[in-house]
Amino acid sequence: MVKQHRKQHRKQRLKGSWVVLLSLPLLWGTLPALGNSSISALQAKLQSAVASKNWVQALKVVDQLIPLVPQQASQLKQYRTQLEQLSRSSASPAQRGIQSLAKSSPRGHLSIKRRDHGVPVVDVLFNQRQSFEMLVDSGASLTVITRPMARALGITPANIVSTITVSTANGQTKMPIVYLGSVSVAGLTTRQVPVAIAGPEMEIGLLGQDFLQRYDVNLRSSHIEFHDRR
């Protein structure tokens, strides 16, 4: 009976793998032809990770793609859900036990400096060397930095890899996209992060879902807790 259950479990995992592999070409068909080398490189990384069933790496690549093609974010997030299911099902019982234990306590603990119209303001470290105040905005799909922040980080027009069109209170506007070496919050670091550079009207940056979605975030009165998302 146990052997039969294990055999069925292996079949389910194999079936799930084929679903993701087969849906990959369909996913490419939904992405716009941006002709961007960075996006093409990410597509190649994702294809390689899925083919080798490296679900953790595949999830990281999808997280990088989502803010770069916001018009297809829905399809990418659905694809991400499939990858998460495979990542969980492929973990050994011992690994699942470790994951469960890790989730019981927060990975990161971040003090809220103040609130701006109810929105938490926190310190975020960029490129392991400069810290800036940022609004924690769960409604923003992409992390956004201000122009003074970009200048302080040494970003030049040569660093721009793409542009996106976003809706603001003043209508639609285009924002350039650049990659930062790292973004660190509460000791949690994400590397090679795509961020948007806002127009001159923005005075403080936004920490968006491209970082926040990697964790289960608990907002407390005086601090924010980051838990591993399993």
Side-chain angles (χ1 to χ4, degrees):
M1 187 71 178
V2 174
K3 289 183 178 179
Q4 184 179 4
H5 176 72
R6 289 177 178 172
K7 187 175 181 180
Q8 290 175 343
H9 181 63
R10 282 195 297 270
K11 284 183 178 180
Q12 289 173 347
R13 284 171 52 186
L14 182 60
K15 182 179 179 182
S17 301
W18 276 111
V19 168
V20 171
L21 286 167
L22 291 172
S23 61
L24 188 56
L26 298 177
L27 177 63
W28 293 155
T30 68
L31 298 180
L34 298 179
N36 183 285
S37 58
S38 297
I39 293 177
S40 297
L42 288 173
Q43 289 177 335
K45 284 184 180 180
L46 179 57
Q47 189 168 14
S48 175
V50 171
S52 62
K53 299 182 183 179
N54 186 345
W55 310 124
V56 174
Q57 177 64 20
L59 284 165
K60 290 180 180 178
V61 177
V62 171
D63 286 339
Q64 289 178 290
L65 277 169
I66 288 173
L68 291 180
V69 282
Q71 63 270 47
Q72 301 299 334
S74 177
Q75 290 91 331
L76 284 165
K77 288 177 182 178
Q78 290 176 5
Y79 189 76
R80 192 184 194 284
T81 299
Q82 292 178 302
L83 291 171
E84 283 182 326
Q85 292 171 347
L86 281 169
S87 178
R88 285 193 295 267
S89 66
S90 62
S92 68
Q95 288 173 325
R96 287 195 290 271
I98 292 172
Q99 291 171 356
S100 177
L101 180 62
K103 191 171 181 179
S104 65
S105 58
R107 279 279 310 280
H109 182 285
L110 182 65
S111 297
I112 297 174
K113 297 184 70 173
R114 65 178 189 279
R115 292 177 186 268
D116 188 342
H117 295 90
V119 181
V121 177
V122 301
D123 284 325
V124 179
L125 182 65
F126 293 89
N127 294 341
Q128 299 295 316
R129 61 187 178 87
Q130 287 189 278
S131 181
F132 299 93
E133 289 187 346
M134 301 276 283
L135 293 169
V136 179
D137 187 355
S138 60
S141 61
L142 185 67
T143 293
V144 182
I145 63 174
T146 64
R147 291 188 177 183
M149 290 171 63
R151 287 193 293 269
L153 291 167
I155 295 171
T156 69
N159 300 121
I160 297 173
V161 298
S162 183
T163 59
I164 60 170
T165 301
V166 298
S167 297
T168 68
N170 298 321
Q172 288 193 330
T173 184
K174 289 186 176 181
M175 291 186 183
I177 300 293
V178 299
Y179 273 87
L180 296 180
S182 65
V183 175
S184 301
V185 178
L188 306 172
T189 299
T190 301
R191 302 190 184 279
Q192 289 300 306
V193 184
V195 301
I197 302 177
E201 73 283 351
M202 184 173 285
E203 299 179 352
I204 186 170
L206 305 176
L207 183 66
Q209 278 293 339
D210 52 343
F211 183 91
L212 299 174
Q213 68 183 359
R214 292 172 167 81
Y215 307 96
D216 286 325
V217 180
N218 291 334
L219 183 61
R220 307 297 187 184
S221 59
S222 61
H223 67 275
I224 302 173
E225 294 176 352
F226 295 85
H227 296 257
D228 277 328
R229 176 165 287 176
R230 304 294 186 186

mmCIF file of all heavy atoms in Angstrom, residues 106-113 120-125 134 136 184-188 207 211-212 217-226:
data_model
loop_
_atom_site.group_PDB
_atom_site.id
_atom_site.type_symbol
_atom_site.label_atom_id
_atom_site.label_comp_id
_atom_site.label_asym_id
_atom_site.label_seq_id
_atom_site.Cartn_x
_atom_site.Cartn_y
_atom_site.Cartn_z
ATOM 1 N N PRO A 106 10.185 34.517 12.302
ATOM 2 C CA PRO A 106 10.458 35.426 11.194
ATOM 3 C C PRO A 106 11.903 35.390 10.744
ATOM 4 O O PRO A 106 12.821 35.247 11.550
ATOM 5 C CB PRO A 106 10.091 36.796 11.777
ATOM 6 C CG PRO A 106 10.188 36.639 13.250
ATOM 7 C CD PRO A 106 9.814 35.214 13.535
ATOM 8 N N ARG A 107 12.111 35.508 9.439
ATOM 9 C CA ARG A 107 13.450 35.597 8.881
ATOM 10 C C ARG A 107 14.037 36.974 9.128
ATOM 11 O O ARG A 107 15.243 37.128 9.283
ATOM 12 C CB ARG A 107 13.393 35.333 7.371
ATOM 13 C CG ARG A 107 13.348 33.888 6.973
ATOM 14 C CD ARG A 107 14.702 33.235 6.985
ATOM 15 N NE ARG A 107 15.719 33.998 6.264
ATOM 16 C CZ ARG A 107 15.864 33.982 4.948
ATOM 17 N NH1 ARG A 107 15.048 33.263 4.198
ATOM 18 N NH2 ARG A 107 16.810 34.697 4.378
ATOM 19 N N GLY A 108 13.183 37.999 9.089
ATOM 20 C CA GLY A 108 13.657 39.367 9.255
ATOM 21 C C GLY A 108 12.705 40.177 10.111
ATOM 22 O O GLY A 108 11.500 39.927 10.132
ATOM 23 N N HIS A 109 13.259 41.148 10.821
ATOM 24 C CA HIS A 109 12.481 42.002 11.719
ATOM 25 C C HIS A 109 12.913 43.432 11.449
ATOM 26 O O HIS A 109 14.074 43.787 11.631
ATOM 27 C CB HIS A 109 12.758 41.602 13.170
ATOM 28 C CG HIS A 109 11.981 42.384 14.186
ATOM 29 N ND1 HIS A 109 12.280 43.687 14.523
ATOM 30 C CD2 HIS A 109 10.906 42.043 14.935
ATOM 31 C CE1 HIS A 109 11.432 44.110 15.454
ATOM 32 N NE2 HIS A 109 10.587 43.139 15.710
ATOM 33 N N LEU A 110 11.984 44.268 10.979
ATOM 34 C CA LEU A 110 12.323 45.617 10.529
ATOM 35 C C LEU A 110 11.490 46.652 11.278
ATOM 36 O O LEU A 110 10.266 46.594 11.277
ATOM 37 C CB LEU A 110 12.060 45.733 9.019
ATOM 38 C CG LEU A 110 12.390 47.058 8.348
ATOM 39 C CD1 LEU A 110 13.882 47.333 8.408
ATOM 40 C CD2 LEU A 110 11.909 47.045 6.905
ATOM 41 N N SER A 111 12.177 47.593 11.916
ATOM 42 C CA SER A 111 11.471 48.653 12.647
ATOM 43 C C SER A 111 10.870 49.668 11.676
ATOM 44 O O SER A 111 11.486 50.024 10.671
ATOM 45 C CB SER A 111 12.437 49.367 13.596
ATOM 46 O OG SER A 111 12.925 48.484 14.583
ATOM 47 N N ILE A 112 9.670 50.119 11.999
ATOM 48 C CA ILE A 112 9.019 51.178 11.234
ATOM 49 C C ILE A 112 9.472 52.520 11.811
ATOM 50 O O ILE A 112 9.290 52.789 13.003
ATOM 51 C CB ILE A 112 7.489 51.046 11.307
ATOM 52 C CG1 ILE A 112 7.044 49.725 10.660
ATOM 53 C CG2 ILE A 112 6.806 52.229 10.625
ATOM 54 C CD1 ILE A 112 5.559 49.439 10.822
ATOM 55 N N LYS A 113 10.082 53.367 10.969
ATOM 56 C CA LYS A 113 10.592 54.644 11.440
ATOM 57 C C LYS A 113 9.452 55.616 11.734
ATOM 58 O O LYS A 113 9.460 56.325 12.740
ATOM 59 C CB LYS A 113 11.536 55.256 10.401
ATOM 60 C CG LYS A 113 12.789 54.423 10.142
ATOM 61 C CD LYS A 113 13.719 55.127 9.176
ATOM 62 C CE LYS A 113 14.364 56.346 9.817
ATOM 63 N NZ LYS A 113 15.403 56.954 8.941
ATOM 64 N N PRO A 120 3.856 52.621 6.100
ATOM 65 C CA PRO A 120 5.119 52.508 6.843
ATOM 66 C C PRO A 120 6.316 53.030 6.050
ATOM 67 O O PRO A 120 6.418 52.801 4.834
ATOM 68 C CB PRO A 120 5.253 50.998 7.091
ATOM 69 C CG PRO A 120 3.884 50.454 6.930
ATOM 70 C CD PRO A 120 3.219 51.307 5.910
ATOM 71 N N VAL A 121 7.198 53.720 6.739
ATOM 72 C CA VAL A 121 8.464 54.189 6.169
ATOM 73 C C VAL A 121 9.593 53.424 6.853
ATOM 74 O O VAL A 121 9.671 53.391 8.090
ATOM 75 C CB VAL A 121 8.654 55.707 6.371
ATOM 76 C CG1 VAL A 121 10.015 56.157 5.841
ATOM 77 C CG2 VAL A 121 7.535 56.484 5.682
ATOM 78 N N VAL A 122 10.455 52.798 6.053
ATOM 79 C CA VAL A 122 11.543 51.980 6.599
ATOM 80 C C VAL A 122 12.847 52.327 5.882
ATOM 81 O O VAL A 122 12.852 52.979 4.829
ATOM 82 C CB VAL A 122 11.253 50.467 6.428
ATOM 83 C CG1 VAL A 122 9.962 50.078 7.137
ATOM 84 C CG2 VAL A 122 11.198 50.082 4.950
ATOM 85 N N ASP A 123 13.953 51.873 6.457
ATOM 86 C CA ASP A 123 15.259 52.037 5.824
ATOM 87 C C ASP A 123 15.563 50.827 4.950
ATOM 88 O O ASP A 123 15.408 49.678 5.388
ATOM 89 C CB ASP A 123 16.357 52.183 6.879
ATOM 90 C CG ASP A 123 16.363 53.561 7.524
ATOM 91 O OD1 ASP A 123 16.061 54.540 6.812
ATOM 92 O OD2 ASP A 123 16.668 53.671 8.724
ATOM 93 N N VAL A 124 16.000 51.090 3.715
ATOM 94 C CA VAL A 124 16.358 50.032 2.772
ATOM 95 C C VAL A 124 17.794 50.275 2.306
ATOM 96 O O VAL A 124 18.160 51.396 1.953
ATOM 97 C CB VAL A 124 15.403 50.020 1.559
ATOM 98 C CG1 VAL A 124 15.807 48.931 0.566
ATOM 99 C CG2 VAL A 124 13.960 49.799 2.021
ATOM 100 N N LEU A 125 18.594 49.214 2.317
ATOM 101 C CA LEU A 125 20.001 49.306 1.930
ATOM 102 C C LEU A 125 20.173 48.879 0.474
ATOM 103 O O LEU A 125 19.730 47.801 0.076
ATOM 104 C CB LEU A 125 20.855 48.412 2.837
ATOM 105 C CG LEU A 125 22.368 48.417 2.594
ATOM 106 C CD1 LEU A 125 22.961 49.793 2.905
ATOM 107 C CD2 LEU A 125 23.041 47.338 3.441
ATOM 108 N N MET A 134 12.223 54.391 2.499
ATOM 109 C CA MET A 134 11.303 53.920 1.461
ATOM 110 C C MET A 134 9.929 53.676 2.068
ATOM 111 O O MET A 134 9.814 53.280 3.238
ATOM 112 C CB MET A 134 11.813 52.622 0.845
ATOM 113 C CG MET A 134 13.180 52.693 0.203
ATOM 114 S SD MET A 134 13.117 53.303 -1.490
ATOM 115 C CE MET A 134 12.524 51.833 -2.345
ATOM 116 N N VAL A 136 6.755 51.280 2.276
ATOM 117 C CA VAL A 136 6.426 49.880 2.023
ATOM 118 C C VAL A 136 5.048 49.853 1.370
ATOM 119 O O VAL A 136 4.019 50.014 2.026
ATOM 120 C CB VAL A 136 6.428 49.061 3.327
ATOM 121 C CG1 VAL A 136 6.059 47.608 3.036
ATOM 122 C CG2 VAL A 136 7.787 49.131 4.002
ATOM 123 N N SER A 184 18.578 45.269 0.205
ATOM 124 C CA SER A 184 18.568 44.559 1.494
ATOM 125 C C SER A 184 17.565 45.212 2.435
ATOM 126 O O SER A 184 17.557 46.434 2.607
ATOM 127 C CB SER A 184 19.960 44.576 2.138
ATOM 128 O OG SER A 184 20.915 43.976 1.293
ATOM 129 N N VAL A 185 16.730 44.371 3.038
ATOM 130 C CA VAL A 185 15.732 44.820 4.003
ATOM 131 C C VAL A 185 15.770 43.861 5.187
ATOM 132 O O VAL A 185 15.622 42.646 5.004
ATOM 133 C CB VAL A 185 14.310 44.843 3.391
ATOM 134 C CG1 VAL A 185 13.290 45.269 4.442
ATOM 135 C CG2 VAL A 185 14.255 45.768 2.200
ATOM 136 N N ALA A 186 15.983 44.382 6.367
ATOM 137 C CA ALA A 186 15.986 43.563 7.583
ATOM 138 C C ALA A 186 16.970 42.395 7.490
ATOM 139 O O ALA A 186 16.695 41.306 7.972
ATOM 140 C CB ALA A 186 14.575 43.043 7.890
ATOM 141 N N GLY A 187 18.100 42.628 6.834
ATOM 142 C CA GLY A 187 19.091 41.573 6.692
ATOM 143 C C GLY A 187 18.811 40.593 5.574
ATOM 144 O O GLY A 187 19.599 39.679 5.332
ATOM 145 N N LEU A 188 17.700 40.756 4.847
ATOM 146 C CA LEU A 188 17.339 39.891 3.729
ATOM 147 C C LEU A 188 17.754 40.585 2.435
ATOM 148 O O LEU A 188 17.359 41.723 2.188
ATOM 149 C CB LEU A 188 15.835 39.620 3.721
ATOM 150 C CG LEU A 188 15.265 39.055 5.032
ATOM 151 C CD1 LEU A 188 13.746 39.005 4.959
ATOM 152 C CD2 LEU A 188 15.839 37.690 5.314
ATOM 153 N N LEU A 207 9.029 50.523 -1.899
ATOM 154 C CA LEU A 207 9.436 49.117 -1.861
ATOM 155 C C LEU A 207 8.221 48.299 -2.273
ATOM 156 O O LEU A 207 7.228 48.229 -1.557
ATOM 157 C CB LEU A 207 9.902 48.724 -0.454
ATOM 158 C CG LEU A 207 10.422 47.289 -0.290
ATOM 159 C CD1 LEU A 207 11.719 47.103 -1.079
ATOM 160 C CD2 LEU A 207 10.656 46.965 1.183
ATOM 161 N N PHE A 211 9.940 42.728 -4.358
ATOM 162 C CA PHE A 211 10.692 42.272 -3.179
ATOM 163 C C PHE A 211 9.770 41.603 -2.171
ATOM 164 O O PHE A 211 10.057 40.514 -1.665
ATOM 165 C CB PHE A 211 11.419 43.443 -2.522
ATOM 166 C CG PHE A 211 12.267 43.032 -1.331
ATOM 167 C CD1 PHE A 211 13.598 42.697 -1.515
ATOM 168 C CD2 PHE A 211 11.733 42.948 -0.055
ATOM 169 C CE1 PHE A 211 14.392 42.301 -0.427
ATOM 170 C CE2 PHE A 211 12.505 42.555 1.027
ATOM 171 C CZ PHE A 211 13.835 42.230 0.835
ATOM 172 N N LEU A 212 8.644 42.228 -1.871
ATOM 173 C CA LEU A 212 7.758 41.749 -0.806
ATOM 174 C C LEU A 212 7.182 40.368 -1.092
ATOM 175 O O LEU A 212 6.966 39.583 -0.164
ATOM 176 C CB LEU A 212 6.617 42.753 -0.584
ATOM 177 C CG LEU A 212 7.025 44.160 -0.153
ATOM 178 C CD1 LEU A 212 5.806 45.069 -0.124
ATOM 179 C CD2 LEU A 212 7.703 44.135 1.210
ATOM 180 N N VAL A 217 4.554 38.665 4.723
ATOM 181 C CA VAL A 217 4.863 39.894 5.451
ATOM 182 C C VAL A 217 3.783 40.158 6.495
ATOM 183 O O VAL A 217 2.592 40.244 6.160
ATOM 184 C CB VAL A 217 4.973 41.086 4.484
ATOM 185 C CG1 VAL A 217 5.306 42.365 5.252
ATOM 186 C CG2 VAL A 217 6.038 40.815 3.426
ATOM 187 N N ASN A 218 4.198 40.269 7.749
ATOM 188 C CA ASN A 218 3.283 40.601 8.837
ATOM 189 C C ASN A 218 3.555 42.030 9.294
ATOM 190 O O ASN A 218 4.647 42.341 9.788
ATOM 191 C CB ASN A 218 3.465 39.643 10.018
ATOM 192 C CG ASN A 218 2.988 38.243 9.705
ATOM 193 O OD1 ASN A 218 2.118 38.056 8.857
ATOM 194 N ND2 ASN A 218 3.552 37.252 10.368
ATOM 195 N N LEU A 219 2.579 42.886 9.126
ATOM 196 C CA LEU A 219 2.724 44.293 9.494
ATOM 197 C C LEU A 219 2.229 44.493 10.924
ATOM 198 O O LEU A 219 1.056 44.284 11.226
ATOM 199 C CB LEU A 219 1.928 45.168 8.526
ATOM 200 C CG LEU A 219 2.019 46.677 8.731
ATOM 201 C CD1 LEU A 219 3.452 47.162 8.567
ATOM 202 C CD2 LEU A 219 1.099 47.397 7.749
ATOM 203 N N ARG A 220 3.136 44.877 11.810
ATOM 204 C CA ARG A 220 2.807 45.150 13.212
ATOM 205 C C ARG A 220 2.742 46.664 13.433
ATOM 206 O O ARG A 220 3.021 47.452 12.546
ATOM 207 C CB ARG A 220 3.852 44.514 14.134
ATOM 208 C CG ARG A 220 4.087 43.035 13.886
ATOM 209 C CD ARG A 220 2.858 42.204 14.132
ATOM 210 N NE ARG A 220 3.138 40.776 14.038
ATOM 211 C CZ ARG A 220 2.215 39.824 14.138
ATOM 212 N NH1 ARG A 220 0.947 40.162 14.324
ATOM 213 N NH2 ARG A 220 2.551 38.549 14.044
ATOM 214 N N SER A 221 2.384 47.054 14.649
ATOM 215 C CA SER A 221 2.257 48.486 14.929
ATOM 216 C C SER A 221 3.593 49.217 14.863
ATOM 217 O O SER A 221 3.668 50.363 14.417
ATOM 218 C CB SER A 221 1.628 48.695 16.317
ATOM 219 O OG SER A 221 2.430 48.072 17.316
ATOM 220 N N SER A 222 4.671 48.550 15.292
ATOM 221 C CA SER A 222 5.971 49.218 15.353
ATOM 222 C C SER A 222 7.028 48.581 14.472
ATOM 223 O O SER A 222 8.127 49.116 14.323
ATOM 224 C CB SER A 222 6.487 49.225 16.803
ATOM 225 O OG SER A 222 6.657 47.882 17.271
ATOM 226 N N HIS A 223 6.725 47.417 13.879
ATOM 227 C CA HIS A 223 7.726 46.730 13.067
ATOM 228 C C HIS A 223 7.056 45.850 12.014
ATOM 229 O O HIS A 223 5.841 45.643 12.038
ATOM 230 C CB HIS A 223 8.664 45.894 13.946
ATOM 231 C CG HIS A 223 7.986 44.743 14.615
ATOM 232 N ND1 HIS A 223 7.300 44.858 15.812
ATOM 233 C CD2 HIS A 223 7.869 43.424 14.251
ATOM 234 C CE1 HIS A 223 6.805 43.682 16.158
ATOM 235 N NE2 HIS A 223 7.131 42.801 15.223
ATOM 236 N N ILE A 224 7.874 45.326 11.106
ATOM 237 C CA ILE A 224 7.406 44.421 10.059
ATOM 238 C C ILE A 224 8.191 43.128 10.154
ATOM 239 O O ILE A 224 9.414 43.144 10.315
ATOM 240 C CB ILE A 224 7.603 45.044 8.656
ATOM 241 C CG1 ILE A 224 6.853 46.372 8.555
ATOM 242 C CG2 ILE A 224 7.113 44.094 7.567
ATOM 243 C CD1 ILE A 224 7.125 47.129 7.272
ATOM 244 N N GLU A 225 7.484 41.999 10.074
ATOM 245 C CA GLU A 225 8.129 40.681 10.106
ATOM 246 C C GLU A 225 8.090 40.064 8.716
ATOM 247 O O GLU A 225 7.074 40.133 8.021
ATOM 248 C CB GLU A 225 7.408 39.758 11.087
ATOM 249 C CG GLU A 225 7.510 40.202 12.539
ATOM 250 C CD GLU A 225 6.710 39.307 13.467
ATOM 251 O OE1 GLU A 225 5.960 38.439 12.953
ATOM 252 O OE2 GLU A 225 6.816 39.476 14.689
ATOM 253 N N PHE A 226 9.209 39.464 8.344
ATOM 254 C CA PHE A 226 9.306 38.762 7.071
ATOM 255 C C PHE A 226 9.496 37.271 7.340
ATOM 256 O O PHE A 226 10.461 36.885 7.991
ATOM 257 C CB PHE A 226 10.489 39.291 6.245
ATOM 258 C CG PHE A 226 10.327 40.725 5.810
ATOM 259 C CD1 PHE A 226 10.702 41.762 6.651
ATOM 260 C CD2 PHE A 226 9.799 41.037 4.565
ATOM 261 C CE1 PHE A 226 10.572 43.084 6.254
ATOM 262 C CE2 PHE A 226 9.652 42.348 4.169
ATOM 263 C CZ PHE A 226 10.040 43.376 5.016
#
